[in-house]
Amino acid sequence: MYPPPLPPPPPPHRDFISVTLSLGESYDNSKGWRRRSCWRKWKQLSRLQRNVVILLSAFLFICGFLSYMNTADHWKALSGRSSENQKVQPDFSGPKPANPPVLPAPHTAGAAQGFPEIPPQKPRKHSRRGPPSLQIRAPDKDVKDGIQDLAEQEREELSITYREENMRRTVISWRGAVIEHELVTESPSRRADVHTQRLVPEARTLKVSAPPNKRQKAVVDAFRHAWKGYRKYAWGHDELRPLSKSFGEWFGLGLTLVDALDTMWILGLKKEFEEARKWVLQKLQFQKDVDVNLFESTIRILGGLLSTYHLTGDSLFLEKAKDFGHRLMPAFRTPSKIPYSDVNIGTGNAHPPRWTSDSTVAEVTSIQLEFRELSRLTGNEKFQEAVAEVTRCVHSLSGKKDGLVPMFINTHSGHFTHLGVYTLGARADSYYEYLLKQWIQGGKKETQLLEDYVEAIEGVKKHLLHSSEPSKLTFVGELAHGRFSAKMDHLVCFLPGTLALGAHHGLPAEHMDLAKALMETCYQMNRQMKTGLSPEIAHFNVVPQEGHQDVEVKPADRHNLLRPETVESLFYLHRCTGDSKYQDWGWEILQSFNTYTRVPTGGYSSINNVQDPQNPGPRDKMESFFLGETLKYLYLLFSDDADLLSVDAYVFNTEAHPLPIWTPS
Ligand code: DMJ
């Protein structure tokens, strides 16, 4: 085919002309016009045309210049960042300066600043009460119907998610080098502190300023050893059973693998990470007829996927997190909106445990960081709204004692049950942790959360603090119907770290004093045992007795599950004070883990008796949190670089998965 005939040359003079015409639309194809010299062309233009061309050129030049300046700034910023990354010397020269003091706003009856207005407590429908046996029942019909409806809605949303996923392509490099990512299109200025604006991480550079030191290498070695066992005998299963060289299943979702993803990334275990990623891509399916515990699966799986997404920028993890998050939502379809403990991620059937219609307070109040972040990343408010409703409800309940909460809450009535028992240990612990951490996550605006946290710490001081004999260790006991018990779960050892974090973010210095005192106690809970490892529960002597030490252990409580809380707090204490004694204490604990819990053929095992170094009694189980939390915190503790996952930029969920602070300080 021949090209269409060319248009005739333009008339020599035109008194009016549109910008588009003058810039070529009419003339571009004219051979005669092209042959003429530029000067002649210019001369042939009318004055008006020339002025238009001059003005346009000036305009384009200014635009071009401005855009160049922006790009230059951007590159300057980037190169600044990367030169920071290349620093070889550790830049930890003492504790990071704490943030300015934060005084809780005076309590007002109405809404607190930045926190959704708390509606007056609605009279709740009286739920069926009675002896526990009568409470074993299926959800009410209306709840069941709700679940069916929701399941359909969820299915629809999930299919959209999958369609979106198929359209995405991602090229991810290792630990923060250049990343091409379809989602990385929004400029930093579009990062918003509104909870639900859809946004993505702007840069996945993990600030690694120095190669791992000797102690960090020992952690890497421990991780590799644990992973060797998991990979060989439990690959893709929930937990390794290192002695029997087999595995245990809880949800059947590769729990250890998912929980350990971000640890591998942080420790620089590239080969292991990529093999695990492949498993997530090819094998991790949530369309399964399986009941999961809402809390445990949120903190380990949802939290693990979200933090790995943030560290890597790999949309695979976000898509998996979205899918999983949708499948957890039926748990919130209860008369009170307090979620059930369990939900079937395949059928959408949610239910309380068999023996009660109660949920655990810590469980329903320690999923907020993850659900809020999921809303922020997806732009779908339903996750955040569901957990905010729980926070509002718990905030407004009676039955607290100076900010301390009971351990159970009923999913039908929405009220606390089993009143009068207060602990910072199992079933209540992370309620307190998440009050502070949500406040930090949200940019310190939700003052109601802060007030509840500060009030609770006052409650701890008033009712639960005591000191032991002979060494006068400060410990947190329990209160049951007015009776104090000098018993402290190892789980409570999260508290020194949380207190230190709060003080770092501007809470009163007394919080730091208490953090230091409790840290010493938690260290002694390890040190005073013959294996150097803490028992599950410690009992403190409060009366001086000849030949007795401060910490004693009852036969039923002398096991150790490889839990993280002591080393978690050591990490915060070191980060916030810069005192290297905390690193030394952590080093002792790592060596005890290696001496008494390391299984030669691969993996680590929880043990039965921390007081029997000859026969600690391996229990044949490696909990997923050993890789997700314990080893991660040890690695971060031994780092002298306060910018490696800075506590001013990240908030760690209760399973040690770092999530970004929305407006970092
Ligand atoms: C972890 O799953 C979490 O730290 C949770 O908050 C408490 N229990 C374990 C670790 O001990």
Side-chain angles (χ1 to χ4, degrees):
M1 249 174 74
Y2 292 101
L6 295 167
H13 295 285
R14 296 174 73 149
D15 286 330
F16 63 91
I17 188 166
S18 81
V19 173
T20 333
L21 283 174
S22 75
L23 286 178
E25 193 176 295
S26 298
Y27 303 135
D28 265 1
N29 294 329
S30 162
K31 280 182 192 163
W33 180 257
R34 277 195 206 119
R35 263 182 240 119
R36 289 178 205 154
S37 74
C38 288
W39 180 242
R40 281 185 63 204
K41 280 184 226 168
W42 179 250
K43 294 285 275 181
Q44 282 172 353
L45 294 176
S46 69
R47 180 169 298 170
L48 178 66
Q49 285 173 313
R50 282 186 215 160
N51 285 343
V52 168
V53 170
I54 289 167
L55 273 173
L56 261 174
S57 309
F59 176 73
L60 287 174
F61 176 78
I62 290 166
C63 287
F65 180 72
L66 288 178
S67 130
Y68 168 79
M69 292 306 285
N70 262 342
T71 318
D73 277 356
H74 181 65
W75 281 106
K76 220 188 284 170
L78 278 183
S79 55
R81 224 184 279 158
S82 65
S83 66
E84 226 176 277
N85 294 340
Q86 286 157 13
K87 267 186 286 179
V88 186
Q89 291 306 313
D91 63 354
F92 190 98
S93 46
K96 272 269 204 197
N99 293 297
V102 182
L103 293 174
H107 190 76
T108 52
Q113 185 204 349
F115 190 73
E117 180 143 14
I118 297 154
Q121 198 178 335
K122 282 185 232 140
R124 295 182 187 280
K125 263 198 268 169
H126 186 65
S127 72
R128 288 172 291 175
R129 300 291 309 151
S133 58
L134 293 183
Q135 295 171 26
I136 305 168
R137 58 181 176 258
D140 295 340
K141 187 183 172 304
D142 56 341
V143 181
K144 265 192 186 161
D145 291 345
I147 291 171
Q148 305 284 312
D149 293 350
L150 192 84
E152 267 175 32
Q153 188 191 326
E154 299 300 330
R155 269 195 290 279
E156 174 61 18
E157 283 174 8
L158 286 176
S159 81
I160 294 169
T161 301
Y162 289 131
R163 263 178 269 140
E164 278 176 2
E165 186 174 11
N166 288 338
M167 287 159 57
R168 283 168 213 275
R169 284 185 165 209
T170 311
V171 182
I172 298 296
S173 71
W174 174 243
R175 291 176 93 204
V178 180
I179 290 164
E180 288 170 41
H181 190 292
E182 187 203 66
L183 287 174
V184 189
T185 51
E186 295 179 66
S187 70
S189 63
R190 292 199 56 200
R191 292 173 68 85
D193 47 354
V194 283
H195 303 181
T196 53
Q197 180 161 344
R198 188 188 181 94
L199 81 175
V200 293
E202 65 193 55
R204 281 78 179 211
T205 39
L206 191 60
K207 293 184 176 175
V208 182
S209 69
N213 58 38
K214 188 185 126 224
R215 288 176 174 183
Q216 286 180 299
K217 280 186 185 154
V219 179
V220 172
D221 173 73
F223 187 98
R224 282 212 164 103
H225 184 77
W227 196 248
K228 180 177 137 194
Y230 177 76
R231 189 173 176 275
K232 200 160 172 196
Y233 306 119
W235 184 249
H237 296 286
D238 283 344
E239 285 156 346
L240 169 68
R241 297 172 62 89
L243 296 178
S244 55
K245 298 183 179 157
S246 60
F247 56 85
E249 220 65 293
W250 188 4
F251 309 140
L253 296 173
L255 199 58
T256 294
L257 188 150
V258 178
D259 217 358
L261 284 166
D262 57 3
T263 307
M264 287 184 264
W265 184 268
I266 293 162
L267 269 54
L269 295 170
K270 179 177 182 175
K271 204 174 103 228
E272 289 83 350
F273 177 84
E274 277 170 2
E275 196 179 15
R277 182 198 183 273
K278 199 167 159 198
W279 184 88
V280 172
L281 177 71
Q282 296 175 349
K283 300 279 187 242
L284 183 59
Q285 293 302 332
F286 297 129
Q287 181 50 53
K288 271 189 161 183
D289 184 0
V290 62
D291 278 2
V292 301
N293 174 284
L294 173 68
F295 163 73
E296 296 289 358
S297 65
T298 295
I299 65 169
R300 301 185 198 213
I301 296 176
L302 185 57
L305 291 168
L306 288 174
S307 71
T308 307
Y309 169 62
H310 274 291
L311 294 177
T312 63
D314 186 338
S315 64
L316 166 69
F317 301 107
L318 178 59
E319 295 308 329
K320 291 286 176 193
K322 277 200 254 178
D323 181 4
F324 195 63
H326 282 296
R327 292 172 188 280
L328 295 179
M329 289 308 287
F332 295 88
R333 301 287 290 195
T334 68
S336 66
K337 307 243 176 83
I338 297 297
Y340 288 130
S341 59
D342 297 275
V343 54
N344 186 304
I345 53 171
T347 65
N349 245 318
H351 58 88
R354 284 207 191 96
W355 57 92
T356 178
S357 55
D358 288 349
S359 285
T360 296
V361 171
E363 292 195 355
V364 301
T365 54
S366 313
I367 49 180
Q368 277 67 5
L369 291 176
E370 299 82 355
F371 276 72
R372 282 155 49 114
E373 181 58 12
L374 190 57
S375 273
R376 197 177 71 116
L377 288 170
T378 60
N380 187 338
E381 294 191 6
K382 73 174 181 179
F383 306 109
Q384 172 202 318
E385 277 169 3
V387 294
E389 182 62 29
V390 179
T391 306
R392 271 194 293 270
C393 171
V394 172
H395 167 79
S396 64
L397 285 180
S398 56
K400 292 184 201 157
K401 193 176 181 71
D402 294 314
L404 302 176
V405 289
M407 296 187 290
F408 297 98
I409 185 164
N410 189 271
T411 50
H412 289 262
S413 68
H415 290 302
F416 290 131
T417 63
H418 303 82
L419 302 182
V421 182
Y422 303 99
T423 172
L424 265 276
R427 300 185 185 280
D429 48 1
S430 41
Y431 159 73
Y432 304 101
E433 180 187 349
Y434 268 38
L435 287 176
L436 179 77
K437 287 184 173 176
Q438 283 183 81
W439 174 71
I440 294 170
Q441 177 191 43
K444 304 183 192 172
K445 293 176 191 143
E446 297 147 295
T447 50
Q448 192 74 77
L449 293 164
L450 177 66
E451 287 178 12
D452 285 357
Y453 174 75
V454 172
E455 188 191 355
I457 298 305
E458 291 308 305
V460 170
K461 288 198 222 160
K462 191 165 163 194
H463 302 290
L464 304 181
L465 277 195
H466 237 281
S467 118
S468 69
E469 296 293 343
S471 312
K472 310 261 179 264
L473 298 175
T474 303
F475 69 93
V476 181
E478 295 181 359
L479 195 66
H481 309 293
R483 219 170 137 232
F484 181 79
S485 159
K487 154 182 183 278
M488 178 166 156
D489 292 353
H490 180 262
L491 287 170
V492 182
C493 288
F494 82 93
L495 187 59
T498 299
L499 286 165
L501 180 67
H504 175 80
H505 279 283
L507 296 188
E510 299 152 38
H511 285 216
M512 184 57 90
D513 298 339
L514 183 55
K516 288 179 186 168
L518 289 173
M519 190 72 260
E520 170 76 36
T521 305
C522 289
Y523 170 55
Q524 292 300 334
M525 281 167 62
N526 288 267
R527 189 153 194 266
Q528 294 190 10
M529 298 301 112
K530 291 185 180 142
T531 57
L533 293 172
S534 168
E536 179 71 357
I537 301 172
H539 293 261
F540 288 85
N541 283 316
V542 286
V543 185
Q545 275 175 289
E546 191 67 31
H548 282 252
Q549 53 182 20
D550 298 76
V551 187
E552 294 202 337
V553 193
K554 301 207 164 148
D557 309 328
R558 60 193 184 190
H559 49 288
N560 179 295
L561 303 183
L562 311 172
R563 285 196 191 276
E565 288 76 14
T566 301
V567 296
E568 167 186 353
S569 283
L570 288 172
F571 158 70
Y572 286 111
L573 266 289
H574 174 251
R575 275 288 168 99
C576 301
T577 67
D579 190 337
S580 63
K581 81 175 176 197
Y582 298 118
Q583 292 179 316
D584 298 339
W585 293 357
W587 181 237
E588 284 175 30
I589 292 172
L590 176 61
Q591 290 180 71
S592 292
F593 277 131
N594 276 331
T595 308
Y596 298 107
T597 70
R598 188 169 160 124
V599 178
T601 45
Y604 287 72
S605 174
S606 48
I607 54 173
N608 277 325
N609 190 353
V610 293
Q611 289 289 48
D612 188 351
Q614 302 314 317
N615 181 20
R619 290 184 142 199
D620 196 19
K621 183 163 171 170
M622 183 174 81
E623 300 273 355
S624 79
F625 50 68
F626 184 62
L627 301 189
E629 292 195 75
T630 310
L631 293 182
K632 183 190 291 154
Y633 280 130
L634 280 166
Y635 185 86
L636 294 174
L637 165 66
F638 297 146
S639 169
D640 282 321
D641 178 3
D643 284 334
L644 178 61
L645 293 173
S646 159
V647 293
D648 290 314
Y650 289 92
V651 65
F652 289 77
N653 85 340
T654 193
E655 188 75 6
H657 297 302
L659 299 172
I661 294 173
W662 297 341
T663 32
S665 45

